[in-house]
Amino acid sequence: MVVSESPVSTAATPTNTSLAEIGLVGLAVMGQNLALNIAEKGFSIAVYNRSPSKVDDTVERAERENLSDKLTGYKDVAQFIQGLSRPRKIIMLVKAGAPVDATIATLKDLLEEGDLIIDGGNEFFTNTERRGKALQTDNIMYMGMGVSGGEEGARYGPSLMPGGPKSAWELIRPMMEKVSAQVDDGPCVTYIGPGGAGNYVKMVHNGIEYGDMQLIGEAYDLLRNVAGLEVSQIADVFDEWNSAELQSFLIEITAKILRQQDDLVQDGSYLVDKVLDQTGSKGTGMWTMQEAAARGVPAPTIGAALEARFISALKKDRQLASTVLEGPSFAAESDPDMKKQIVADVRKALYASKICSYAQGMNLIKTAGTDGDWGLNLGAISRIWKGGCIIRAKFLDRIKAAYDRDANLPSLLLDEEFAAELIGAQASWRRIAILAITNGIAIPATASSLNYYDNFRREVLMSAQMVQAQRDFFGSHTYKRLDKDGVYHTRWSTDGVSVKQD
């Protein structure tokens, strides 16, 4: 019988010899799956949730999965705390923002010096740093730990991005190394850095994910409407791509999505054609772009992906616009050889654009790490994304290798191997851009990636010359010269005289 003031378990109330090694608060799907993962890896865990029914659900599931000897559920928070070995270590998996503050307030007065709270949710990094400083006054340690991989990753092995006090990391390191996804060169977890570094890296990971998903969506649109392939044929194309340089979780699931028939109508139609064309967003992509803007780091692929989600939300406006605005009709290719050429070009354009998306994200992480003196290891960060997480991909090995060759690499685009691939993909990339424009198909992320490449490779940007001259004309913002040292201002609207500023 379940009693709300007692632990929910087949065992008796824990004694000092049966205290749990770790606690977890927040038993929605991610929390429940992570708790069971921890138990399955051999660690004893106590769980608590404000809603008692979720505690019951978790305990019942632990019993079904033969993990009840490692998991104890509590409906009273004080008893939950008492059921943990010291120093107490508690993972929170609750909604970001006010719910996190409320949970900390509930736990704080019951904890003691040296205890540790770990926020495993998607939280903005400055909130993590604020909370960490506030808890320091009570000598309670606080970490922000990114958890990627969705429900399946949480249950069987996520990619983990812990940040905060190094001493706190050492307390949980043995456990997290076993709980995380395992790949050929080790567990998909590493200490990221102090403060909010873990949350920051997870945030940018999600931004890269936005770019990756949008690029794949644009490739699908092109294969369907320009190459003229059937859904089943496109599924075969993605399966083929998943066996080479584009191998990744997102490419893999795209093929599976395309093969899913509609089980509600059971007429042989494909479910993807019935999905409402409105893309949701939980905020991490927006945070990534806010950070990119604040730090002056260009991230146009990620930004285009975010804006594509915003415009998808304007369903009613788009329905109206489709009856008013005109554009070219899709001209699906009929020649088999040309179809093959388009497929090959889309593949190269997708891969080149993907490199740009990752380069932008890694540059943002690098800049934030420098600004915050976090001591980040970009190669190690890319390595832990090889398993468990949504953006896991074959070419992350090559990103790690690039940073191993040069830890201070200004951009992945300047790595000799990636540079050679981008140069080799240029013709396909440009043909796809022309095809999309000619057929009136928007490819914002792919086009933004190509524009990023073209801007980045030019020694002199004439558009920037003009913009800076305009700024000096109307605002006396000054400018520097290519041929002389110093800062100048020109009286453009009067005598045209240039004056060197002090």
Side-chain angles (χ1 to χ4, degrees):
M1 180 177 67
V2 174
V3 181
S4 62
E5 297 303 318
S6 302
V8 182
S9 174
T10 55
T13 302
T15 64
N16 288 336
T17 59
S18 62
L19 296 176
E21 297 168 83
I22 196 165
L24 189 146
V25 177
L27 295 172
V29 175
M30 285 289 289
Q32 184 180 116
N33 281 353
L34 185 60
L36 293 168
N37 180 8
I38 291 170
E40 187 174 60
K41 296 304 190 297
F43 301 99
S44 57
I45 182 168
V47 299
Y48 167 79
N49 195 86
R50 189 177 60 176
S51 302
S53 63
K54 292 189 181 297
V55 180
D56 292 335
D57 292 343
T58 305
V59 170
E60 290 170 6
R61 187 174 167 194
E63 291 174 347
R64 291 196 304 272
E65 299 185 21
N66 298 317
L67 297 172
S68 57
D69 61 328
K70 290 295 183 181
L71 186 145
T72 305
Y74 290 87
K75 297 181 179 180
D76 176 79
V77 68
Q79 290 196 357
F80 164 72
I81 297 294
Q82 291 166 11
L84 298 172
S85 62
R86 296 185 61 191
R88 301 176 183 92
K89 301 168 284 291
I90 301 172
I91 298 173
M92 296 184 301
L93 275 167
V94 298
K95 188 176 180 180
V100 175
D101 290 314
T103 303
I104 292 172
T106 299
L107 298 173
K108 185 180 71 171
D109 292 338
L110 299 169
L111 297 178
E112 298 175 282
E113 182 177 334
D115 289 346
L116 168 63
I117 299 175
I118 307 154
D119 181 7
N122 282 328
E123 185 57 271
F124 194 58
F125 78 106
T126 56
N127 288 335
T128 297
E129 294 180 339
R130 167 180 59 81
R131 291 164 183 147
K133 290 176 182 177
L135 287 167
Q136 277 182 348
T137 60
D138 296 303
N139 292 314
I140 296 171
M141 293 185 288
Y142 190 76
M143 298 185 73
M145 182 172 70
V147 180
S148 179
E151 300 171 18
E152 183 177 349
R155 178 63 184 86
Y156 299 108
S159 174
L160 299 173
M161 293 152 259
K166 187 71 177 290
S167 56
W169 161 240
E170 294 301 334
L171 286 177
I172 62 170
R173 179 175 183 169
M175 184 181 298
M176 295 302 107
E177 287 183 340
K178 287 190 176 181
V179 167
S180 64
Q182 307 295 312
V183 293
D184 56 353
D185 55 0
C188 291
V189 61
T190 190
Y191 175 68
I192 301 297
N199 288 125
Y200 199 96
V201 168
K202 175 56 164 60
M203 173 193 74
V204 178
H205 162 286
N206 286 21
I208 294 171
E209 179 183 309
Y210 275 49
D212 227 346
M213 294 171 71
Q214 179 64 27
L215 290 169
I216 292 171
E218 292 171 13
Y220 165 67
D221 195 352
L222 289 165
L223 293 175
R224 188 84 182 268
N225 291 302
V226 179
L229 300 185
E230 300 295 332
V231 173
S232 60
Q233 293 174 312
I234 301 173
D236 291 340
V237 167
F238 276 96
D239 272 338
E240 181 185 346
W241 290 355
N242 197 45
S243 65
E245 77 284 353
L246 283 168
Q247 186 275 322
S248 68
F249 172 72
L250 287 170
I251 293 289
E252 176 188 345
I253 68 169
T254 299
K256 292 180 178 179
I257 288 168
L258 291 170
R259 286 202 166 86
Q260 180 64 52
Q261 294 186 349
D262 188 348
D263 62 349
L264 293 182
V265 298
Q266 296 185 344
D267 60 355
S269 61
Y270 290 97
L271 181 57
V272 69
D273 286 331
K274 311 293 178 60
V275 176
L276 181 65
D277 55 327
Q278 288 182 314
T279 308
S281 178
K282 290 189 175 180
T284 46
M286 180 184 68
W287 292 345
T288 301
M289 290 313 301
Q290 288 174 340
E291 274 294 296
R295 297 183 190 274
V297 176
T301 308
I302 300 171
L306 180 64
E307 290 179 355
R309 294 193 181 198
F310 291 160
I311 201 167
S312 79
L314 305 177
K315 179 63 175 178
K316 291 183 178 179
D317 291 346
R318 289 188 291 110
Q319 287 175 321
L320 176 60
S322 70
T323 67
V324 177
L325 303 179
E326 295 182 359
S329 299
F330 303 149
E333 183 58 59
S334 58
D335 181 79
D337 291 333
M338 287 304 299
K339 285 177 181 285
K340 290 180 181 179
Q341 182 64 58
I342 293 170
V343 171
D345 285 346
V346 171
R347 176 178 182 162
K348 290 182 179 180
L350 174 57
Y351 184 62
S353 299
K354 184 184 180 81
I355 294 171
C356 290
S357 182
Y358 278 75
Q360 293 159 28
M362 298 306 288
N363 282 351
L364 180 55
I365 290 172
K366 179 180 68 174
T367 301
T370 300
D371 292 347
D373 196 23
W374 288 340
L376 302 182
N377 183 328
L378 298 182
I381 290 169
S382 62
R383 189 200 69 78
I384 65 171
W385 290 344
K386 286 172 56 178
C389 72
I390 304 303
I391 64 171
R392 59 184 183 267
K394 179 179 180 179
F395 95 137
L396 283 162
D397 271 329
R398 301 190 46 229
I399 293 178
K400 180 182 183 301
Y403 285 114
D404 286 346
R405 286 191 289 271
D406 182 0
N408 297 313
L409 187 66
S411 170
L412 286 176
L413 274 62
L414 297 179
D415 173 74
E416 59 182 14
E417 291 189 8
F418 283 123
E421 289 183 319
L422 289 167
I423 293 169
Q426 269 195 88
S428 293
W429 213 355
R430 299 185 193 285
R431 280 196 295 267
I432 287 304
I434 293 168
L435 270 175
I437 292 170
T438 302
N439 284 276
I441 294 176
I443 52 167
T446 306
S448 292
S449 298
L450 180 55
N451 287 335
Y452 177 75
Y453 174 82
D454 279 338
N455 268 327
F456 191 63
R457 69 181 178 80
R458 290 180 67 184
E459 182 180 359
V460 176
L461 292 174
M462 292 186 177
S463 59
Q465 289 177 308
M466 178 56 68
V467 169
Q468 191 59 23
Q470 290 171 339
R471 294 182 74 241
D472 188 54
F473 189 111
F474 66 71
S476 300
H477 291 294
T478 72
Y479 59 91
K480 294 180 180 179
R481 295 176 60 106
L482 292 172
D483 58 342
K484 299 178 184 296
D485 292 334
V487 178
Y488 294 82
H489 165 59
T490 295
R491 299 191 293 264
W492 304 85
S493 60
T494 54
D495 53 17
V497 172
S498 299
V499 180
K500 187 174 182 180
Q501 306 292 295
D502 292 334

